[in-house]
C-alpha cells in the first residue's frame, strides 16, 4: 500500500485576535479540521486572559496561569500557525491583513475578535500614569507588581463605577487587606448612579459590600488629569493615587476605522451570521456590534457566538450554508465581592452569598478546563507485521524539528572519518570544522551549509531562524558573511498559497542575510511532505577561527542560553506544567533563536583562540569537539551556564528532543540533577562558545552585555587529554 501524501492546503482562514470566541473556534476546529484549510491566529502575545476570572486573580484567589488561555498550545492542538504580532489594518482589495512588524498576510476568509480597550486616551497623563483594565494582560502584571511593593497605606483610584469597576475595587480591597495594608480605594464615575447595568437589589447589595470594605464611590465626577501620584477630578477634588486604573467605557481599536467596513461608534457592525459588510470578514466578541440585536459588551456573548462563528467560517471556506446567531435578552451576572462571595443578577432579581462564589468558580474553572487538557500526541499506528528493527528505529516519540531532527554524532563519525583528505592546495580544512576553509589571494573564504526541518507552520519564522542558524558557522569562524543560496522544500499547496509561502520564506530570509551584509544569490526549490528550509553560505576572513586553538588557562564564554531543543519538543507535545505558561516559554525561546550572532562574533573574534556555535550536538558535544581538536580539557561552572525560561522545569518533567539520547551517548560525561539534560540538549540557532584569554574575559563579557547579548563566562580550559568536568 502506497503512502498517502498530505492533502494540499488551498484556502486561508485568518483569525485576528485571541479573544474568547476565537479560542473556542480553534478548540472546535481541532476536533474536526476542514481539509485543505490553513488556519492562522494573529495575536500580540502568546497567552490571553479569561475575563471571568480576572477579579478572582486581582483578589488573590487565582494564580496567573489559572486564567490565561495559552494560545500557542491551543494553536498546536488545532494545527494552526500562531503569529505573535499586532494587526494594524486590512487591505480588502488584495485580501491581506496588515501586521505591525512583518508586513501583510493573505486571507481568503478572516475573522476579528480583538477585544476592546478601557483607557481614556483624551485625559492628560492617563497613558503615562494609569493602567487600563482592558486589555487585561498588562493590568494583571501591573497589579502584581504594585502589590509586591508592600505599601502600608496604598491609595487606589478606579475610574468607572460599572460592574467591572466596582467588582475590581472589591477585589483590590480584599487583596490589600489580606496583605496587611490599610488601603484607600476610590471609585469615580461621570454618571450620577453607580452600577447602572444591574438590578436594584444587586446594586444595593454591592454598594453595601463596598461601604463595608471601605471603598468610596464618587459619582458625577470625571478625571481631568492624571499624575504619578494623584487624579484631579472635574469637581476640583484631588485624589491621591499610587495605582490608577481605568475601567471606563469601551474603546474600539483605532485601526478598524481604516478598513472600510461598516462601523457603529468604532465597532464592527455584524449581521446575524456574524459577517461584516464584507462577507469574507467576520467579527465577534467585544469588537463586534450586533446591529440587529444590540447588547452590552460582555464575555458571555463572545462565548455563545463561538459555535455559530465556527460553523459559518467553515461554511465560508467550503461553500456551505450559514447559521444565525440569536443572543439571549438577558444573562446571569455573577459578580464577585472580593472575598469568596458573589452576587447574582438576572432580570432584576438578586441572590447573594458565599455559595454563589462556588457556582461562579465552577463555571469559570469549567471554561478554562477546555484549554488545559488536550489529547497527547500519538505515534502513527504500525502494521501488525513489520521488518525486524522497525519499532526501535521509530523510537517512542514523534520526530522533532530544527536541530532535533539532525543525524546523531555516532552515525556521522564513521562516515566523516572515511572521507579522503583534501587534494586541492587551496582547501585548508577537512571534515569536522564548522565550515570549509578555502585559501584566496586576500585571505580565506569559508563555506557552510545547513537546513532545518520545520517545527512551526509559520514559514517566515522558520526562514528567519534557519537563516540565523546557517550563518552561525560563518560567524563562529570569525568570517564576514558574503553570499547565500537557498534550498527550500515546500509542502503541497495550491498555486496562490505556494507563491505566498515562498515569498514569505524569501522575504524573511533576505532580511536576515541583508542585515548580516550578505546577498541571497539564488537557490533551489522543490515540493515534499513538509516545509524544510536550508542555506549554503559563504564568508570571508583574514584569520579563520577554528575549534583547535583553545589554550589551558583560557576562559569559556557562551552567548545564548540553552534549552531550545527541550522547549520545542515540549511545545510539540503541548506540555502543561503548573506555574509555567508554555506559550510564554516558547515565545522566549523563539525570540532567542531569532537573534543573530553577528554582534557577538564581532566582539569575540579578534580575541578568541577557538570558537564554535552550539547547535545540534548540544553544549557538551560541541565543547568536547573543541577540547579534542585542541588537546585540552574544560571545567564548567553549572551555576554560570545560562538557561532559557522554563527549560529546567520541562526537562525535569521528562520532555526532551528526539536527538537528546544520541547526544548523551556520544559524550563520556555524566551528571545528575534537573539541569543535566540541558547539557546535551540540541540547540537550534544556538549561541557562540568561545575560548578567550583569561585576562580579556571580563572585558569581553562586559562588551557583550553592553551590546544587548545574553552571555556568561561558564568555565575554564585546562590541560588535556580531552574531557569535561562540571562543578
Amino acid at each position: 500500500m502506497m503512502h498517502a501524501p498530505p492533502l494540499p492546503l488551498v484556502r486561508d482562514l485568518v483569525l485576528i485576535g485571541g479573544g474568547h470566541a476565537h479560542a473556542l473556534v480553534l478548540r472546535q476546529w481541532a476536533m474536526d479540521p476542514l481539509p485543505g484549510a490553513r488556519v492562522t491566529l494573529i495575536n500580540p502575545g502568546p497567552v490571553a486572559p479569561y475575563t471571568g476570572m480576572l477579579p478572582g486573580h486581582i483578589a488573590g484567589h487565582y494564580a496567573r496561569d489559572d486564567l490565561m488561555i495559552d494560545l500557542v498550545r491551543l494553536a498546536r492542538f488545532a494545527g494552526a500557525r500562531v503569529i505573535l504580532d499586532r494587526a494594524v489594518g486590512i487591505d480588502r482589495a488584495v485580501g491581506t491583513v496588515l501586521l505591525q512588524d512583518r508586513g501583510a498576510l493573505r486571507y481568503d476568509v478572516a475573522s476579528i475578535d480583538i477585544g476592546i480597550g478601557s483607557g481614556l486616551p483624551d485625559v492628560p497623563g492617563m497613558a503615562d500614569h494609569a493602567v487600563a483594565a482592558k486589555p487585561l494582560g498588562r493590568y494583571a502584571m501591573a497589579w502584581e507588581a504594585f502589590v509586591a511593593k508592600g505599601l502600608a497605606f496604598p491609595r487606589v483610584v478606579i475610574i468607572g463605577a460599572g460592574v467591572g469597576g466596582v467588582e475590581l475595587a472589591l477585589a483590590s480591597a480584599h487583596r490589600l487587606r489580606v496583605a496587611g495594608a490599610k488601603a484607600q480605594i476610590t471609585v469615580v464615575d461621570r454618571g450620577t448612579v453607580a452600577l447602572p447595568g444591574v438590578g436594584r437589589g444587586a446594586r444595593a447589595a454591592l454598594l453595601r459590600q463596598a461601604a463595608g470594605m471601605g471603598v468610596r464611590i464618587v459619582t458625577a465626577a470625571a478625571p481631568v488629569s492624571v499624575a504619578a501620584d494623584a487624579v484631579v477630578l472635574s469637581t476640583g477634588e484631588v485624589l491621591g493615587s499610587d495605582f490608577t486604573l481605568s475601567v471606563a467605557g469601551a474603546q474600539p481599536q483605532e485601526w478598524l476605522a481604516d478598513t472600510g467596513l461598516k462601523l457603529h461608534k468604532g465597532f464592527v457592525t455584524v449581521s446575524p451570521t456574524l459577517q461584516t459588510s464584507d462577507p469574507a470578514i467576520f467579527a465577534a466578541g467585544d469588537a463586534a456590534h450586533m446591529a440587529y440585536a444590540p447588547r452590552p459588551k460582555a464575555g458571555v456573548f463572545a462565548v455563545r457566538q463561538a459555535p455559530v462563528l465556527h460553523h459559518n467560517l467553515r461554511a465560508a471556506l467550503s461553500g456551505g450554508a450559514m447559521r444565525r446567531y440569536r443572543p439571549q435578552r438577558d444573562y446571569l451576572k455573577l459578580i464577585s465581592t472580593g472575598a469568596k462571595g458573589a452576587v447574582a443578577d438576572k432580570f432584576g432579581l438578586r441572590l447573594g452569598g458565599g455559595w454563589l462564589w462556588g457556582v461562579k468558580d465552577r463555571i469559570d474553572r469549567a471554561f478554562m478546563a477546555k484549554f488545559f487538557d488536550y489529547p497527547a500526541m500519538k505515534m502513527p499506528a504500525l502494521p501488525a507485521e513489520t521488518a525486524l528493527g522497525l519499532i526501535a528505529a521509530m523510537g517512542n516519540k514523534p520526530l522533532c524539528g530544527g536541530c532535533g531532527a539532525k543525524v546523531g554524532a555516532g552515525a556521522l563519525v564513521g562516515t566523516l572519518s572515511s572521507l579522503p583528505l583534501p587534494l586541492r592546495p587551496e582547501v585548508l580544512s577537512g571534515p569536522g570544522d564548522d565550515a570549509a576553509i578555502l585559501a584566496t589571494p586576500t585571505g580565506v573564504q569559508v563555506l557552510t551549509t545547513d537546513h532545518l526541518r520545520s517545527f512551526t507552520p509559520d514559514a517566515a519564522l522558520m526562514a528567519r531562524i534557519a537563516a540565523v542558524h546557517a550563518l552561525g558557522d560563518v560567524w563562529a569562524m570569525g568570517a564576514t558573511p558574503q553570499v547565500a543560496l537557498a534550498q527550500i522544500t515546500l509542502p503541497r499547496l495550491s498555486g496562490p498559497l505556494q507563491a505566498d509561502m515562498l515569498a514569505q520564506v524569501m522575504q524573511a530570509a533576505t532580511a536576515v542575510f541583508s542585515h548580516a551584509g550578505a546577498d541571497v544569490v539564488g537557490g533551489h526549490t522543490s515540493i515534499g511532505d513538509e516545509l524544510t528550509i536550508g542555506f549554503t553560505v559563504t564568508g570571508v576572513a583574514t584569520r579563520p577561527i577554528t575549534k583547535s586553538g583553545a589554550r589551558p588557562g583560557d576562559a569559556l564564554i557562551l552567548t545564548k542560553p540553552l534549552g531550545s531543543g527541550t522547549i520545542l519538543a515540549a511545545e510539540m507535545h503541548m506540555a502543561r506544567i503548573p506555574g509555567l505558561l508554555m506559550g510564554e516559554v516558547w515565545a522566549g525561546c523563539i525570540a532567542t533563536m531569532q537573534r543573530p550572532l553577528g554582534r557577538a562574533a564581532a566582539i569575540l573574534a579578534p580575541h578568541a583562540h577557538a570558537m564554535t556555535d552550539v547547535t545540534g550536538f548540544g553544549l557538551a558535544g560541541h565543547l568536547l569537539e573543541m577540547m579534542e581538536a585542541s588537546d585540552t580539557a574544560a571545567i564548567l561552572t553549572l551555576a554560570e551556564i545560562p538557561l532559557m525560561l522554563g527549560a529546567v522545569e520541562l526537562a525535569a518533567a521528562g520532555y526532551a528532543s528526539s536527538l537528546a539520547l544520541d547526544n548523551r551517548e556520544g559524550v563520556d560525561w555524566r551528571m545528575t540533577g534537573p539541569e543535566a539534560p540541558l547539557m546535551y540538549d540540541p540547540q537550534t540557532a544556538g549561541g557562540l562558545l568561545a575560548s578567550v584569554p583569561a585576562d580579556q574575559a571580563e572585558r569581553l563579557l562586559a562588551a557583550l552585555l553592553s551590546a544587548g547579548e545574553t552571555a556568561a563566562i561558564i568555565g575554564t580550559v585546562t590541560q588535556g587529554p580531552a574531557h569535561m568536568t562540571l562543578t
Side-chain angles (χ1 to χ4, degrees):
M1 182 174 65
M2 294 182 63
H3 167 66
L7 295 174
L9 299 171
V10 296
R11 299 269 282 168
D12 264 323
L13 168 62
V14 175
L15 304 178
I16 307 170
H20 298 356
H22 281 174
L24 288 167
V25 164
L26 281 171
R27 189 178 186 278
Q28 289 179 272
W29 193 279
M31 303 300 185
D32 185 21
L34 179 67
R38 178 172 65 176
V39 182
T40 302
L41 172 67
I42 301 168
N43 199 67
V47 299
Y50 167 53
T51 56
M53 296 174 81
L54 178 67
H57 174 63
I58 298 300
H61 305 316
Y62 299 121
R64 182 169 175 267
D65 55 322
D66 288 332
L67 73 151
M68 290 293 182
I69 300 172
D70 192 327
L71 299 176
V72 173
R73 289 183 73 238
L74 178 58
R76 171 67 70 175
F77 179 51
R81 61 176 174 172
V82 59
I83 294 177
L84 302 181
D85 204 343
R86 186 179 300 277
V88 294
I90 299 176
D91 188 337
R92 293 164 50 214
V94 296
T96 58
V97 179
L98 307 179
L99 303 183
Q100 180 174 282
D101 296 327
R102 57 180 284 175
L105 192 75
R106 79 176 304 277
Y107 71 87
D108 294 298
V109 176
S111 180
I112 302 169
D113 184 14
I114 54 177
I116 57 176
S118 61
L120 296 171
D122 296 331
V123 177
M126 180 67 70
D128 296 325
H129 304 299
V131 178
K134 291 187 178 182
L136 304 179
R138 179 170 174 260
Y139 164 41
M141 288 190 289
W143 174 252
E144 290 303 311
F146 173 68
V147 172
K149 291 180 179 179
L151 299 179
F153 301 97
R155 301 166 300 172
V156 177
V157 174
I158 297 176
I159 301 166
V163 170
V166 172
E167 188 174 25
L168 290 173
L170 296 174
S172 302
H174 173 77
R175 178 72 173 276
L176 294 171
R177 177 182 294 180
V178 169
K182 295 182 179 180
Q184 175 185 308
I185 298 179
T186 307
V187 183
V188 178
D189 200 283
R190 68 174 64 247
T192 58
V193 177
L195 294 164
V198 299
R200 183 179 303 173
R203 181 185 304 118
L206 289 167
L207 292 177
R208 284 195 301 272
Q209 183 73 17
M213 298 183 72
V215 175
R216 179 189 174 207
I217 298 180
V218 178
T219 56
V224 295
S225 67
V226 177
D229 59 355
V231 177
V232 180
L233 302 183
S234 56
T235 59
E237 183 177 3
V238 178
L239 300 172
S241 181
D242 303 302
F243 188 90
T244 302
L245 174 70
S246 175
V247 196
Q251 304 292 331
Q253 294 199 24
E254 294 181 357
W255 64 266
L256 294 173
D258 298 323
T259 60
L261 298 172
K262 184 178 180 181
L263 305 179
H264 174 77
K265 296 181 179 180
F267 300 100
V268 183
T269 300
V270 296
S271 69
T273 60
L274 303 179
Q275 288 171 290
T276 68
S277 53
D278 183 333
I281 302 176
F282 294 70
D286 288 347
H289 170 67
M290 296 179 287
Y292 66 98
R295 294 293 188 274
K297 302 300 181 185
V300 64
F301 298 112
V303 170
R304 297 191 179 183
Q305 286 168 342
V308 174
L309 179 63
H310 172 253
H311 173 87
N312 289 349
L313 290 173
R314 291 177 66 98
L317 291 163
S318 63
M322 299 281 178
R323 291 181 185 170
R324 295 170 62 90
Y325 171 66
R326 297 177 175 85
Q328 66 270 41
R329 184 165 61 89
D330 198 4
Y331 61 96
L332 176 65
K333 306 176 187 72
L334 286 170
I335 306 163
S336 57
T337 55
K340 291 185 178 180
V343 170
D345 177 58
K346 187 175 183 181
F347 297 121
L349 302 176
R350 196 271 298 180
L351 291 173
W355 68 276
L356 275 174
W357 166 264
V359 173
K360 176 174 169 54
D361 180 62
R362 285 193 295 273
I363 292 172
D364 290 338
R365 289 188 184 275
F367 177 83
M368 285 303 298
K370 299 176 187 290
F371 306 104
F372 284 167
D373 298 318
Y374 302 129
M377 288 185 65
K378 295 181 179 180
M379 293 292 292
L382 294 176
E385 184 179 13
T386 66
L388 293 174
L390 177 61
I391 295 176
M394 285 288 293
N396 60 359
K397 62 178 66 175
L399 180 64
C400 288
C403 261
K406 289 181 68 172
V407 173
L412 289 176
V413 170
T415 300
L416 293 177
S417 63
S418 66
L419 293 177
L421 293 175
L423 297 177
R424 301 184 63 87
E426 67 268 25
V427 179
L428 305 181
S429 65
D433 286 321
D434 283 330
I437 304 174
L438 307 177
T440 69
T442 57
V444 298
Q445 183 180 54
V446 300
L447 173 67
T448 184
T449 189
D450 218 323
H451 73 273
L452 298 177
R453 177 177 182 261
S454 177
F455 50 78
T456 172
D458 183 351
L461 174 61
M462 274 306 309
R464 286 194 296 273
I465 294 173
V468 170
H469 183 80
L471 283 162
D473 286 337
V474 174
W475 282 317
M477 301 200 75
T480 300
Q482 188 181 30
V483 300
L485 293 166
Q487 301 96 42
I488 302 167
T489 300
L490 297 176
R492 299 179 72 204
L493 303 162
S494 67
L497 267 67
Q498 185 180 97
D500 174 69
M501 183 176 286
L502 185 58
Q504 286 187 49
V505 169
M506 294 308 298
Q507 288 168 9
T510 299
V512 173
F513 284 111
S514 295
H515 185 264
D519 295 318
V520 179
V521 294
H524 179 76
T525 59
S526 61
I527 303 298
D529 283 352
E530 60 185 3
L531 176 65
T532 301
I533 303 174
F535 300 96
T536 297
V537 188
T538 67
V540 292
T542 55
R543 182 183 74 92
I545 306 170
T546 66
K547 302 172 186 175
S548 62
R551 303 173 188 176
D554 279 357
L556 293 169
I557 292 180
L558 179 66
T559 68
K560 280 189 182 183
L562 306 176
S564 63
T566 294
I567 291 170
L568 293 179
E571 187 275 327
M572 185 176 69
H573 286 81
M574 298 176 292
R576 181 168 182 264
I577 304 292
L580 281 182
L581 287 164
M582 191 64 229
E584 292 181 338
V585 171
W586 181 83
C589 173
I590 292 298
T592 296
M593 288 193 290
Q594 291 181 81
R595 191 170 69 245
L597 301 175
R599 287 185 303 181
I603 293 169
L604 292 170
H607 309 279
H609 292 148
M611 193 156 66
T612 187
D613 58 336
V614 178
T615 54
F617 300 148
L619 174 63
H622 286 287
L623 178 57
L624 183 60
E625 286 182 331
M626 183 184 289
M627 297 302 97
E628 289 175 338
S630 304
D631 194 22
T632 55
I635 300 175
L636 300 185
T637 304
L638 178 59
E640 299 299 329
I641 298 174
L643 304 173
M644 292 184 185
L645 171 70
V648 173
E649 293 87 346
L650 292 168
Y655 293 101
S657 167
S658 48
L659 183 59
L661 181 60
D662 280 339
N663 284 352
R664 186 174 62 184
E665 294 297 325
V667 178
D668 185 19
W669 176 34
R670 297 292 179 264
M671 60 174 287
T672 59
E675 301 89 355
L678 300 176
M679 302 302 106
Y680 313 102
D681 191 43
Q683 304 303 290
T684 300
L688 294 172
L689 176 64
S691 178
V692 303
D695 60 357
Q696 298 288 324
E698 291 293 345
R699 183 183 64 80
L700 293 173
L701 178 62
L704 289 166
L705 297 177
S706 178
E709 298 296 323
T710 302
I713 299 172
I714 65 169
T716 58
V717 179
T718 64
Q719 295 288 343
H723 70 279
M724 295 169 290
T725 304
L726 197 67
T727 62

